[in-house]
Amino acid sequence: MSQSYILVINGKPEGPFTIPELKTRGIKPGDFVKTDDMVDYKEAQEITELRELLGFARPKLLMQYYGSFDQRWLASALDWFIVFGVFVMLAAVVVFLFVTDKQARIYTSIGIIAFIPIGKFIYHVVMESSVKQATYGKQMLNIKVVDMDGNRISVGKAIGRNLAKLFSVLTLFIGYLIAFFNKQQQCLHDMIAGTLVIKDRLI
C-alpha cells in the first residue's frame, strides 16, 4: 500500500496526499514531501517509491549531503571509545572469572587489549556494510558510508575501504586532511575504495 505524503506548497505543508493526488497537483522532483514516519522533509526525487511511480530520475548526491571532517572525527572518537570499552570489559570478565594468577592476569589483559585494532576493523566492516551503513559513532552523528551512487556498500568494499585507511595514516595523516580540499570531502581511503560519507540534509 502506497504512503500518503505531506507536500510543501508555497512554503507551507499541506495534505497528506496519495500518489494519484500528487500527480494531479503536478508534483516536481524538487518538491519537498514527508510521511508520518519520516523525521524530516526530503525532495520527492530522493524517495524510492515516488521515483518509481512518478518516473523521477535518481538525484545526484549534492554537496550539502557530505559528512564534514569534524563529524567524521567525532564519530571516529566515539567508535574508539565504544570498541575500547567492550574490550576492557571483556578483559575484566575473562581475568576475574578464569585467571587466578596475578601475573597471568596482567598478560591476559594485555593480550586481549592488543586485539583492539583487529576488533575495530571487523566492527567497521560489519557495521558499514550493514543495513544501517554506519558504525554506532556515525549513527550518532547521522552520517553513513555509501558508494559513489549513494548505495549501500558490500562487505568486500567495506574491507577495501578500511584496509585503505593504512594509506591515510602512513601519509602522516595527510590522507585524512585532503578531505578539506575536495568537493565530496573524501579522505584518501574513500578515494581508493570509491566511497562517500554522507548525511541527511535538514531544512
Side-chain angles (χ1 to χ4, degrees):
M1 182 177 178
S2 297
Q3 289 266 21
S4 293
Y5 293 87
I6 297 170
L7 174 65
V8 176
I9 302 174
N10 297 323
K12 296 181 179 180
E14 296 188 18
F17 301 108
T18 62
I19 300 291
E21 289 172 334
L22 290 175
K23 284 183 178 180
T24 61
R25 289 180 172 272
I27 183 173
K28 297 182 288 296
D31 287 341
F32 287 99
V33 296
K34 178 182 179 297
T35 68
D36 291 335
D37 298 329
M38 291 168 56
V39 176
D40 199 9
Y41 287 89
K42 290 188 176 182
E43 291 182 2
Q45 62 185 339
E46 299 175 51
I47 299 172
T48 303
E49 180 184 44
L50 295 182
R51 284 205 306 271
E52 292 175 350
L53 295 177
L54 300 178
F56 297 151
R58 173 185 287 275
K60 293 184 178 180
L61 293 175
L62 303 177
M63 191 169 179
Q64 64 261 34
Y65 280 76
Y66 304 137
S68 62
F69 181 84
D70 58 335
Q71 287 177 313
R72 297 176 65 164
W73 180 87
L74 182 54
S76 180
L78 290 168
D79 286 326
W80 272 111
F81 180 79
I82 290 169
V83 174
F84 182 80
V86 169
F87 272 81
V88 167
M89 287 191 293
L90 176 62
V93 170
V94 171
V95 164
F96 287 106
L97 291 183
F98 303 106
V99 183
T100 56
D101 181 72
K102 183 177 180 180
Q103 191 171 24
R105 283 183 171 182
I106 295 173
Y107 290 142
T108 301
S109 298
I110 293 174
I112 293 174
I113 298 299
F115 278 95
I116 286 180
I118 297 174
K120 190 169 185 291
F121 175 84
I122 295 172
Y123 163 74
H124 274 269
V125 169
V126 171
M127 296 298 291
E128 290 171 3
S129 61
S130 70
V131 175
K132 293 291 186 180
Q133 299 174 258
T135 59
Y136 290 118
K138 286 184 175 68
Q139 290 178 47
M140 292 178 197
L141 274 294
N142 203 30
I143 57 178
K144 62 184 178 181
V145 180
V146 299
D147 65 15
M148 299 303 292
D149 294 317
N151 300 313
R152 174 181 171 185
I153 64 174
S154 65
V155 173
K157 188 173 282 287
I159 291 173
R161 179 179 188 272
N162 284 282
L163 285 176
K165 287 181 180 179
L166 286 173
F167 295 101
S168 292
V169 173
L170 293 175
T171 54
L172 302 178
F173 296 94
I174 293 174
Y176 287 97
L177 296 178
I178 60 175
F180 286 109
F181 304 102
N182 65 86
K183 292 182 179 179
Q184 295 175 315
Q185 299 188 38
Q186 289 175 294
C187 295
L188 179 59
H189 53 272
D190 290 309
M191 294 179 175
I192 294 172
T195 57
L196 298 167
V197 176
I198 64 171
K199 61 184 177 181
D200 286 332
R201 181 187 53 198
L202 300 177
I203 62 171

